[in-house]
Coordinates of all heavy atoms in Angstrom, one line a residue:
M1 N -112.5 93.8 -119.8 CA -113.7 93.4 -119.1 C -113.4 93.0 -117.7 O -112.5 92.3 -117.4 CB -114.3 92.2 -119.8 CG -115.5 91.6 -119.1 SD -115.7 89.8 -119.6 CE -116.5 90.1 -121.2
R2 N -114.3 93.5 -116.8 CA -114.2 93.1 -115.4 C -115.5 92.3 -115.1 O -116.5 92.5 -115.8 CB -114.0 94.3 -114.5 CG -112.8 95.1 -114.8 CD -112.3 95.9 -113.6 NE -112.1 95.1 -112.5 CZ -112.1 95.6 -111.2 NH1 -112.4 96.8 -111.0 NH2 -111.9 94.7 -110.2
V3 N -115.5 91.4 -114.1 CA -116.6 90.6 -113.8 C -116.7 90.4 -112.3 O -115.7 90.3 -111.6 CB -116.5 89.3 -114.6 CG1 -115.4 88.4 -114.1 CG2 -117.8 88.5 -114.5
K4 N -118.0 90.4 -111.9 CA -118.3 90.1 -110.4 C -119.4 89.1 -110.3 O -120.2 89.0 -111.2 CB -118.7 91.4 -109.7 CG -117.7 92.5 -109.7 CD -118.2 93.6 -108.8 CE -117.3 94.8 -108.9 NZ -115.9 94.5 -108.5
V5 N -119.5 88.4 -109.2 CA -120.6 87.6 -108.9 C -121.3 88.1 -107.7 O -120.6 88.4 -106.7 CB -120.2 86.1 -108.6 CG1 -121.3 85.3 -108.0 CG2 -119.6 85.4 -109.9
D6 N -122.6 88.4 -107.8 CA -123.3 88.9 -106.6 C -123.6 87.7 -105.7 O -124.4 86.8 -106.0 CB -124.6 89.5 -107.1 CG -125.4 90.2 -106.0 OD1 -125.3 89.7 -104.8 OD2 -126.2 91.1 -106.3
P7 N -123.0 87.7 -104.5 CA -123.2 86.5 -103.6 C -124.6 86.4 -103.0 O -125.0 85.3 -102.6 CB -122.2 86.8 -102.5 CG -121.9 88.3 -102.5 CD -122.1 88.7 -103.9
D8 N -125.4 87.5 -103.1 CA -126.7 87.4 -102.6 C -127.7 86.8 -103.6 O -128.7 86.3 -103.3 CB -127.3 88.8 -102.3 CG -126.6 89.5 -101.2 OD1 -126.1 88.7 -100.3 OD2 -126.4 90.7 -101.2
L9 N -127.2 86.7 -104.9 CA -128.1 86.1 -106.0 C -127.6 84.7 -106.3 O -128.4 83.8 -106.7 CB -128.0 87.0 -107.2 CG -128.7 88.4 -107.1 CD1 -128.5 89.1 -108.4 CD2 -130.1 88.2 -106.8
C10 N -126.3 84.5 -106.2 CA -125.7 83.2 -106.6 C -126.2 82.0 -105.8 O -126.3 82.1 -104.6 CB -124.2 83.3 -106.5 SG -123.3 81.7 -106.9
L11 N -126.6 81.0 -106.6 CA -127.2 79.8 -106.0 C -126.1 78.7 -105.7 O -126.4 77.7 -105.1 CB -128.1 79.1 -107.0 CG -129.5 79.6 -107.1 CD1 -130.2 78.7 -108.2 CD2 -130.3 79.5 -105.8
G12 N -124.9 78.9 -106.2 CA -123.9 77.9 -106.1 C -124.0 76.7 -107.0 O -123.6 75.6 -106.6
C13 N -124.7 76.9 -108.1 CA -125.0 75.8 -109.0 C -123.8 75.2 -109.7 O -123.8 74.1 -110.1 CB -126.1 76.1 -110.0 SG -125.6 77.3 -111.2
G14 N -122.8 76.1 -109.9 CA -121.5 75.7 -110.6 C -121.6 75.7 -112.1 O -120.6 75.3 -112.7
I15 N -122.6 76.2 -112.7 CA -122.7 76.3 -114.2 C -121.6 77.2 -114.7 O -120.9 76.8 -115.7 CB -124.1 76.8 -114.6 CG1 -125.2 75.7 -114.3 CG2 -124.1 77.2 -116.1 CD1 -126.6 76.2 -114.6
C16 N -121.4 78.3 -114.1 CA -120.3 79.2 -114.6 C -118.9 78.5 -114.5 O -118.2 78.7 -115.5 CB -120.3 80.5 -113.8 SG -120.2 80.3 -112.0
E17 N -118.7 77.8 -113.5 CA -117.4 77.1 -113.4 C -117.3 76.1 -114.5 O -116.2 75.9 -115.0 CB -117.2 76.5 -112.0 CG -115.9 75.8 -111.8 CD -115.8 75.0 -110.5 OE1 -116.7 74.2 -110.3 OE2 -114.9 75.2 -109.7
G18 N -118.4 75.4 -114.7 CA -118.4 74.4 -115.8 C -118.1 75.0 -117.2 O -117.5 74.3 -118.0
I19 N -118.5 76.2 -117.4 CA -118.3 76.9 -118.7 C -116.9 77.4 -118.8 O -116.2 77.3 -119.8 CB -119.3 78.0 -118.9 CG1 -120.7 77.3 -119.1 CG2 -119.0 78.8 -120.2 CD1 -121.9 78.3 -119.1
V20 N -116.4 78.1 -117.7 CA -115.1 78.7 -117.8 C -114.4 78.6 -116.4 O -114.4 79.6 -115.6 CB -115.2 80.2 -118.4 CG1 -116.1 81.0 -117.7 CG2 -113.8 80.8 -118.5
P21 N -113.8 77.5 -116.1 CA -113.2 77.3 -114.8 C -112.0 78.1 -114.6 O -111.6 78.3 -113.4 CB -112.9 75.8 -114.8 CG -112.8 75.4 -116.2 CD -113.8 76.3 -117.0
E22 N -111.4 78.7 -115.6 CA -110.3 79.6 -115.5 C -110.7 80.9 -114.8 O -109.9 81.6 -114.2 CB -109.7 79.9 -116.8 CG -109.1 78.8 -117.5 CD -110.1 77.9 -118.4 OE1 -111.3 78.2 -118.3 OE2 -109.6 77.0 -119.1
V23 N -112.0 81.2 -114.9 CA -112.5 82.5 -114.3 C -113.3 82.3 -113.1 O -113.3 83.2 -112.2 CB -113.3 83.3 -115.4 CG1 -113.8 84.6 -114.8 CG2 -112.4 83.6 -116.6
F24 N -114.1 81.3 -113.1 CA -115.1 81.1 -111.9 C -114.7 79.8 -111.2 O -114.4 78.8 -111.8 CB -116.5 81.0 -112.4 CG -117.0 82.2 -113.1 CD1 -117.2 82.1 -114.5 CD2 -117.3 83.3 -112.4 CE1 -117.6 83.3 -115.2 CE2 -117.8 84.5 -113.1 CZ -117.9 84.4 -114.5
S25 N -114.7 79.9 -109.8 CA -114.4 78.7 -109.0 C -115.4 78.6 -107.9 O -115.9 79.5 -107.3 CB -113.0 79.0 -108.3 OG -112.8 78.0 -107.3
M26 N -115.8 77.3 -107.7 CA -116.7 77.0 -106.6 C -115.9 76.5 -105.3 O -116.5 75.9 -104.4 CB -117.7 75.9 -107.0 CG -118.6 76.3 -108.1 SD -119.5 77.8 -107.7 CE -120.4 77.3 -106.2
A27 N -114.6 76.7 -105.3 CA -113.8 76.2 -104.2 C -114.2 76.8 -102.9 O -114.2 76.2 -101.8 CB -112.3 76.5 -104.5
N28 N -114.7 78.1 -103.0 CA -115.2 78.8 -101.8 C -116.7 78.8 -101.7 O -117.4 79.8 -101.7 CB -114.7 80.2 -101.7 CG -113.3 80.3 -101.2 OD1 -112.8 79.4 -100.7 ND2 -112.7 81.5 -101.4
E29 N -117.3 77.6 -101.7 CA -118.8 77.5 -101.7 C -119.3 78.2 -100.5 O -118.5 78.4 -99.5 CB -119.2 76.0 -101.6 CG -119.0 75.3 -103.0 CD -119.5 73.9 -102.9 OE1 -120.7 73.7 -102.8 OE2 -118.7 73.0 -102.9
P30 N -120.5 78.7 -100.4 CA -121.6 78.3 -101.3 C -121.8 79.1 -102.5 O -122.7 78.9 -103.3 CB -122.8 78.5 -100.4 CG -122.4 79.7 -99.5 CD -120.9 79.5 -99.3
Y31 N -120.9 80.1 -102.9 CA -121.1 80.8 -104.1 C -119.9 80.9 -104.9 O -118.8 80.7 -104.4 CB -121.8 82.2 -103.9 CG -121.1 83.0 -102.8 CD1 -120.0 83.8 -103.2 CD2 -121.6 83.2 -101.5 CE1 -119.3 84.6 -102.3 CE2 -121.0 83.9 -100.6 CZ -119.8 84.7 -101.0 OH -119.2 85.4 -100.1
A32 N -120.0 81.3 -106.2 CA -118.9 81.3 -107.1 C -118.0 82.5 -106.8 O -118.4 83.6 -106.5 CB -119.4 81.4 -108.5
E33 N -116.7 82.2 -107.0 CA -115.7 83.2 -106.8 C -115.1 83.6 -108.1 O -114.9 82.7 -108.9 CB -114.6 82.7 -105.8 CG -113.5 83.6 -105.5 CD -112.4 82.9 -104.7 OE1 -112.4 81.7 -104.5 OE2 -111.5 83.6 -104.2
V34 N -114.7 84.8 -108.3 CA -114.1 85.2 -109.6 C -112.5 85.1 -109.4 O -112.0 85.7 -108.4 CB -114.4 86.6 -110.0 CG1 -113.6 87.1 -111.2 CG2 -115.9 86.7 -110.3
L35 N -111.9 84.3 -110.3 CA -110.5 84.1 -110.2 C -109.7 85.1 -111.0 O -108.5 85.5 -110.6 CB -110.1 82.7 -110.6 CG -110.8 81.6 -109.9 CD1 -110.3 80.2 -110.6 CD2 -110.4 81.5 -108.4
L36 N -110.2 85.6 -112.1 CA -109.5 86.4 -113.0 C -110.3 87.7 -113.3 O -111.3 87.7 -114.0 CB -109.1 85.7 -114.3 CG -108.1 84.6 -114.3 CD1 -108.0 83.9 -115.7 CD2 -106.8 85.1 -113.8
D37 N -109.9 88.8 -112.7 CA -110.6 90.1 -112.8 C -109.5 91.2 -112.8 O -108.9 91.4 -111.8 CB -111.6 90.2 -111.7 CG -112.3 91.6 -111.8 OD1 -112.6 92.0 -112.9 OD2 -112.5 92.2 -110.7
P38 N -109.3 91.8 -113.9 CA -110.0 91.8 -115.2 C -109.8 90.4 -115.9 O -108.9 89.7 -115.7 CB -109.4 92.9 -116.0 CG -108.1 93.2 -115.4 CD -108.2 92.8 -114.0
V39 N -110.8 90.2 -116.8 CA -110.8 88.9 -117.6 C -110.0 89.0 -118.8 O -110.2 89.9 -119.6 CB -112.3 88.6 -118.0 CG1 -112.3 87.3 -118.8 CG2 -113.2 88.5 -116.8
P40 N -109.0 88.1 -118.9 CA -108.2 88.1 -120.2 C -109.0 87.9 -121.4 O -110.1 87.2 -121.4 CB -107.2 86.9 -120.0 CG -107.2 86.7 -118.5 CD -108.6 87.1 -118.0
E41 N -108.6 88.5 -122.5 CA -109.3 88.5 -123.8 C -109.8 87.1 -124.2 O -110.9 86.9 -124.6 CB -108.3 89.0 -124.9 CG -109.0 89.2 -126.2 CD -109.6 90.5 -126.4 OE1 -109.1 91.5 -125.8 OE2 -110.7 90.6 -127.0
E42 N -109.0 86.1 -124.0 CA -109.3 84.7 -124.5 C -110.5 84.1 -123.7 O -111.0 83.1 -124.2 CB -108.1 83.8 -124.5 CG -107.5 83.5 -123.1 CD -106.3 84.4 -122.7 OE1 -106.3 85.6 -123.0 OE2 -105.3 83.9 -122.2
Y43 N -110.8 84.6 -122.6 CA -111.9 84.0 -121.8 C -113.2 84.9 -121.9 O -114.2 84.5 -121.3 CB -111.5 83.9 -120.3 CG -110.3 83.0 -120.2 CD1 -109.3 83.4 -119.4 CD2 -110.3 81.7 -120.8 CE1 -108.2 82.5 -119.2 CE2 -109.2 80.9 -120.6 CZ -108.1 81.3 -119.8 OH -107.0 80.5 -119.6
Q44 N -113.2 86.0 -122.5 CA -114.3 86.9 -122.5 C -115.6 86.4 -123.1 O -116.7 86.6 -122.6 CB -113.9 88.3 -123.1 CG -112.9 89.0 -122.2 CD -112.5 90.4 -122.7 OE1 -113.1 90.9 -123.6 NE2 -111.6 91.0 -122.0
D45 N -115.4 85.7 -124.2 CA -116.6 85.1 -124.9 C -117.3 84.1 -124.0 O -118.5 84.0 -123.8 CB -116.3 84.5 -126.2 CG -116.1 85.5 -127.3 OD1 -116.4 86.7 -127.1 OD2 -115.6 85.2 -128.4
A46 N -116.4 83.3 -123.3 CA -116.9 82.2 -122.4 C -117.6 82.9 -121.2 O -118.6 82.4 -120.7 CB -115.8 81.3 -122.0
V47 N -117.1 84.0 -120.7 CA -117.7 84.7 -119.6 C -119.1 85.2 -120.0 O -120.1 85.1 -119.2 CB -116.8 85.8 -119.1 CG1 -117.6 86.8 -118.1 CG2 -115.6 85.2 -118.3
R48 N -119.2 85.7 -121.2 CA -120.5 86.2 -121.7 C -121.5 85.0 -121.8 O -122.7 85.2 -121.5 CB -120.4 86.9 -123.1 CG -119.7 88.2 -123.0 CD -119.8 89.0 -124.2 NE -119.2 90.3 -124.1 CZ -117.9 90.6 -124.4 NH1 -117.1 89.6 -124.9 NH2 -117.4 91.8 -124.2
E49 N -121.0 83.9 -122.2 CA -121.9 82.7 -122.2 C -122.3 82.3 -120.8 O -123.5 82.0 -120.5 CB -121.1 81.5 -122.8 CG -122.0 80.3 -123.0 CD -121.1 79.1 -123.5 OE1 -120.1 79.3 -124.1 OE2 -121.6 77.9 -123.3
A50 N -121.4 82.4 -119.8 CA -121.7 82.1 -118.4 C -122.8 83.1 -117.9 O -123.7 82.7 -117.2 CB -120.5 82.2 -117.6
V51 N -122.7 84.3 -118.3 CA -123.7 85.3 -117.9 C -125.1 84.9 -118.4 O -126.1 84.9 -117.7 CB -123.4 86.7 -118.5 CG1 -124.5 87.7 -118.3 CG2 -122.1 87.3 -117.7
E52 N -125.1 84.4 -119.7 CA -126.4 84.0 -120.2 C -127.0 82.7 -119.6 O -128.2 82.5 -119.5 CB -126.3 83.8 -121.8 CG -126.0 85.1 -122.4 CD -126.1 85.0 -123.9 OE1 -126.5 84.0 -124.5 OE2 -125.9 86.0 -124.6
E53 N -126.0 81.8 -119.2 CA -126.5 80.5 -118.6 C -126.8 80.6 -117.2 O -127.4 79.7 -116.6 CB -125.4 79.5 -118.9 CG -125.2 79.2 -120.4 CD -126.4 78.7 -121.1 OE1 -127.2 77.9 -120.4 OE2 -126.6 79.0 -122.3
C54 N -126.3 81.6 -116.5 CA -126.5 81.7 -115.0 C -128.0 81.8 -114.7 O -128.6 82.8 -115.2 CB -125.7 82.9 -114.4 SG -126.1 83.2 -112.7
P55 N -128.6 80.9 -114.0 CA -130.0 80.9 -113.7 C -130.5 82.1 -112.8 O -131.6 82.4 -112.8 CB -130.3 79.6 -113.0 CG -129.0 79.2 -112.5 CD -127.9 79.7 -113.3
E56 N -129.6 82.7 -112.1 CA -129.9 83.8 -111.2 C -129.5 85.2 -111.7 O -129.7 86.1 -110.9 CB -129.3 83.5 -109.8 CG -129.9 82.2 -109.2 CD -131.4 82.3 -109.0 OE1 -131.9 83.3 -108.4 OE2 -132.0 81.3 -109.4
E57 N -128.9 85.2 -112.9 CA -128.4 86.5 -113.4 C -127.5 87.1 -112.3 O -127.5 88.3 -112.1 CB -129.5 87.4 -113.8 CG -130.3 86.8 -114.9 CD -131.4 87.7 -115.4 OE1 -131.5 88.9 -114.9 OE2 -132.2 87.3 -116.3
A58 N -126.6 86.3 -111.7 CA -125.8 86.7 -110.6 C -124.4 87.3 -111.1 O -123.7 87.9 -110.3 CB -125.6 85.6 -109.6
I59 N -124.1 87.0 -112.4 CA -122.8 87.5 -112.9 C -123.0 88.8 -113.6 O -123.8 89.0 -114.4 CB -122.3 86.4 -113.9 CG1 -122.2 85.0 -113.3 CG2 -120.9 86.9 -114.4 CD1 -121.9 83.9 -114.3
I60 N -122.1 89.7 -113.1 CA -122.2 91.1 -113.6 C -120.9 91.4 -114.4 O -119.8 91.3 -113.8 CB -122.3 92.1 -112.4 CG1 -123.6 91.7 -111.6 CG2 -122.4 93.5 -112.9 CD1 -123.4 92.0 -110.1
I61 N -121.1 91.9 -115.6 CA -120.0 92.3 -116.4 C -119.8 93.8 -116.4 O -120.8 94.5 -116.5 CB -120.1 91.8 -117.9 CG1 -119.9 90.3 -118.0 CG2 -119.2 92.6 -118.8 CD1 -120.1 89.8 -119.4
I62 N -118.6 94.3 -116.2 CA -118.3 95.7 -116.3 C -117.3 95.9 -117.4 O -116.2 95.5 -117.3 CB -117.7 96.2 -114.9 CG1 -118.6 95.8 -113.8 CG2 -117.4 97.7 -115.0 CD1 -117.9 95.6 -112.5
E63 N -117.8 96.4 -118.5 CA -117.0 96.7 -119.7 C -116.2 97.9 -119.4 O -116.7 98.9 -118.9 CB -117.8 96.9 -121.0 CG -118.7 95.7 -121.3 CD -117.9 94.6 -122.1 OE1 -116.7 94.7 -122.3 OE2 -118.6 93.6 -122.4
E64 N -114.9 97.8 -119.8 CA -114.0 99.0 -119.6 C -113.6 99.5 -120.9 O -113.5 98.8 -121.9 CB -112.8 98.6 -118.8 CG -113.2 98.2 -117.3 CD -112.0 98.0 -116.5 OE1 -111.0 97.4 -116.9 OE2 -112.1 98.3 -115.3
Ligands
LIG101 S1 -124.0 80.1 -112.7 FE1 -124.7 81.8 -111.5 S2 -125.8 80.9 -109.8 FE2 -124.6 79.3 -110.7 S3 -122.7 79.3 -109.5 FE3 -122.3 80.6 -111.3 S4 -122.9 82.7 -110.6 FE4 -123.7 81.3 -109.1

């Protein structure tokens, strides 16, 4: 699984980082940065949860 955040949609709310800080970081505000791409197996379920919780649908999953 690969994952991206669309910086034009991201609000910088930090919900994704709260769910899976190993993959998403707000260190480079104002929007979330992806730390692990491709996403290791152990974080993939949490990334899917972050996609569902993101209020702007800014997280894009690319299944490989
Ligand atoms: S949950 Fe969505 S809008 Fe919020 S910081 Fe993450 S990518 Fe951006």
Side-chain angles (χ1 to χ4, degrees):
M1 173 201 281
R2 301 201 56 201
V3 67
K4 294 185 187 310
V5 171
D6 185 333
D8 293 329
L9 295 177
C10 176
L11 280 179
C13 68
I15 289 175
C16 54
E17 182 188 52
I19 294 170
V20 57
E22 294 85 354
V23 177
F24 300 105
S25 169
M26 295 306 300
N28 279 348
E29 289 183 68
Y31 52 80
E33 177 186 13
V34 175
L35 302 178
L36 291 175
D37 178 37
V39 180
E41 186 86 35
E42 63 261 43
Y43 301 130
Q44 292 185 3
D45 284 348
V47 167
R48 289 193 179 91
E49 184 184 340
V51 167
E52 292 192 4
E53 296 299 326
C54 173
E56 296 302 310
E57 300 183 2
I59 305 171
I60 302 148
I61 285 178
I62 303 150
E63 299 280 0
E64 292 186 324

